[in-house]
Amino acid sequence: MTTHIFDDHADLSFRVARLIAEQIKTKPDSVICFASGESPLLAYNLLVTLLKSEKIETSKFTLIGLDEWIDITPENPGSCAYFLHSNLIQPLNLSVDQYRLFNALTEDLSQECETMDKFILKKGSLDMIIVGIGMNGHIGFNEPGVPQNLYSHVIDLDETTRTVGQKYFEGKTQLSKGITLGLQYVREAKTAILMASGERKAPIIRETLEGEITTTVPATMMRELENGHVMIDRNAASLLKPQE
Ligand code: F6R
């Protein structure tokens, strides 16, 4: 794993956008998994601009949505589906066979996990995965304590995730379960990028990079990945030990 520290959120976002654009340029049929949330939003907006201005072919890559809140409709602006549609799928005019998002409204969620796993397996594996980090160290909805060898699965959300998750919704919203790609996908991805910015992420970034590697802080698994990149801004890095 390598750690990259950028001056600010804009710098970090530009660098991540550049990396994703290069991935699509060099391998137009790349399979890329995208998280939702505040951390990657600017990177995605910059990515759309880069892909358009540099006329990079976007009709062959596949977008996978990392996760979704169970029982939240895709029309809800707080859903991961809404976020990915507004920030990537619509602006890039991706065709329906170019993306797959979890259907979190289906009655048979284990079937839904199987369908996602089969879809990815048919494509080979993930070329790249872009993730954020929760205040409790989660990646996707891989909450503290989750086994690291899972592919798609359904999980009870941690209290922190239920509380912090309210920021995406207009009114108080019942959040209890999530459906997510498991950490095994992060492990197997050819490139895994974890993004974090801002001072509020500094304590969990310190725990992730300097604490014990443990399933209690799922993001610590990044340290075991050869192709793992933790890309953060100075504020998120502010509690790290000074580099020698
Ligand atoms: C969202 C997701 C979550 C977020 C994490 C950080 O798809 O998978 O794990 O990446 O909770 O959220 P932000 O970026 O909003 O701070």
Side-chain angles (χ1 to χ4, degrees):
M1 183 207 70
T2 47
T3 304
H4 313 254
I5 300 172
F6 298 88
D7 281 345
D8 54 29
H9 179 65
D11 260 14
L12 160 68
S13 303
F14 190 78
R15 187 67 195 126
V16 172
R18 190 74 259 169
L19 284 174
I20 306 172
E22 286 308 315
Q23 174 67 43
I24 296 173
K25 192 172 169 179
T26 47
K27 187 170 183 279
D29 63 347
S30 290
V31 182
I32 307 180
C33 175
F34 294 87
S36 309
E38 289 172 352
S39 307
L41 175 59
L42 179 58
Y44 295 170
N45 296 163
L46 293 167
L47 172 66
V48 169
T49 307
L50 275 178
L51 292 171
K52 287 188 175 174
S53 64
E54 297 181 13
K55 297 191 170 42
I56 295 171
E57 168 74 74
T58 56
S59 65
K60 295 194 175 73
F61 91 95
T62 303
L63 177 152
I64 307 283
L66 175 61
D67 49 11
E68 188 56 277
W69 311 96
I70 301 288
D71 287 339
I72 300 294
T73 67
E75 292 76 33
N76 186 322
S79 70
C80 300
Y82 190 96
F83 176 95
L84 291 172
H85 271 285
S86 333
N87 294 298
L88 291 168
I89 296 168
Q90 280 161 16
L92 292 174
N93 207 10
L94 301 186
S95 63
V96 282
D97 57 354
Q98 257 187 286
Y99 63 89
R100 185 153 211 299
L101 311 179
F102 280 116
N103 172 4
L105 300 177
T106 176
E107 294 214 332
D108 193 345
L109 290 166
S110 63
Q111 177 62 49
E112 181 59 17
C113 290
E114 212 175 290
T115 307
M116 178 61 98
D117 289 339
K118 281 193 181 144
F119 182 87
I120 297 174
L121 192 66
K122 211 167 153 203
K123 302 263 170 203
S125 61
L126 298 178
D127 290 294
M128 184 175 262
I129 184 164
I130 316 292
V131 300
I133 181 170
M135 301 296 281
N136 59 0
H138 75 198
I139 287 181
F141 286 142
N142 291 281
E143 301 287 33
V146 75
Q148 296 200 355
N149 60 353
L150 298 183
Y151 288 99
S152 298
H153 62 102
V154 174
I155 191 163
D156 286 334
L157 297 173
D158 194 68
E159 190 50 47
T160 309
T161 305
R162 296 176 196 214
T163 312
V164 177
Q166 297 299 324
K167 69 178 176 175
Y168 305 116
F169 296 91
E170 274 152 22
K172 183 151 176 39
T173 305
Q174 174 76 25
L175 303 171
S176 53
K177 285 177 183 287
I179 185 166
T180 185
L181 259 57
L183 295 175
Q184 190 61 26
Y185 279 112
V186 182
R187 195 172 286 289
E188 290 177 12
K190 295 194 185 96
T191 304
I193 297 174
L194 182 148
M195 299 180 72
S197 40
E199 261 174 47
R200 92 203 145 88
K201 292 283 170 79
I204 194 63
I205 284 297
R206 178 178 53 190
E207 237 180 298
T208 298
L209 297 180
E210 295 177 353
E212 181 199 344
I213 298 182
T214 164
T215 54
T216 312
V217 184
T220 55
M221 61 86 70
M222 287 296 293
R223 282 162 50 200
E224 299 174 333
L225 306 185
E226 235 175 80
N227 291 328
H229 302 273
V230 171
M231 302 183 67
I232 55 181
D233 67 6
R234 274 196 199 293
N235 286 337
S238 58
L239 294 178
L240 295 178
K241 285 195 201 102
Q243 304 291 312
E244 267 116 56

